[in-house]
């Protein structure tokens, strides 16, 4: 369990830590959680308000791209595929 907890620690200025398995990142600071919450709320609102599937995709895709664009640099170590905690 300590390897998992240590893997989720980030340096100052970063909001996200790499996932331990797979591709992606997880929020570990209040800023990361806030940006994720805002993104999920926006996607939910847009999905609820848009009348067709194609329009939903056309509106949600740029919102998702913007979320990734602004939060990728805030991920400690970048985003890449991982197979578990790094061996030291």
């Amino acid at each position: 369990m300590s390897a998992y907890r240590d893997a989720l620690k980030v340096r100052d200025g970063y909001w996200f830590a790499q996932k331990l398995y797979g591709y992606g990142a997880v929020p570990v600071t209040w800023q990361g959680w806030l940006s994720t919450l805002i993104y999920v709320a926006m996607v939910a609102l847009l999905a609820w308000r848009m009348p067709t599937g194609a329009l939903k995709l056309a509106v949600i895709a740029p919102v998702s791209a913007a979320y990734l664009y602004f939060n990728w640099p805030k991920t400690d170590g970048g985003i890449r595929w991982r197979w578990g905690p790094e061996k030291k």
Side-chain angles (χ1 to χ4, degrees):
M1 189 62 159
S2 66
Y4 177 76
R5 187 175 52 250
D6 292 342
L8 293 180
K9 291 181 180 173
V10 295
R11 296 175 286 166
D12 289 339
Y14 291 98
W15 300 350
F16 296 86
Q18 292 181 354
K19 288 175 61 176
L20 290 180
Y21 294 92
Y23 188 78
V26 293
V28 293
T29 65
W30 70 267
Q31 295 97 331
W33 282 107
L34 181 63
S35 69
T36 302
L37 179 65
I38 291 169
Y39 166 71
V40 169
M42 287 177 62
V43 167
L45 179 66
L46 291 170
W48 177 60
R49 297 296 294 162
M50 296 295 124
T52 65
L55 187 56
K56 287 178 187 181
L57 180 61
V59 173
I60 291 173
V63 170
S64 297
Y67 173 77
L68 290 173
Y69 177 79
F70 288 110
N71 288 311
W72 194 304
K74 294 294 187 177
T75 302
D76 193 7
I79 296 177
R80 61 182 174 85
W81 186 268
R82 293 186 51 163
W83 290 103
E86 305 247 337
K87 310 266 189 294
K88 293 184 180 180

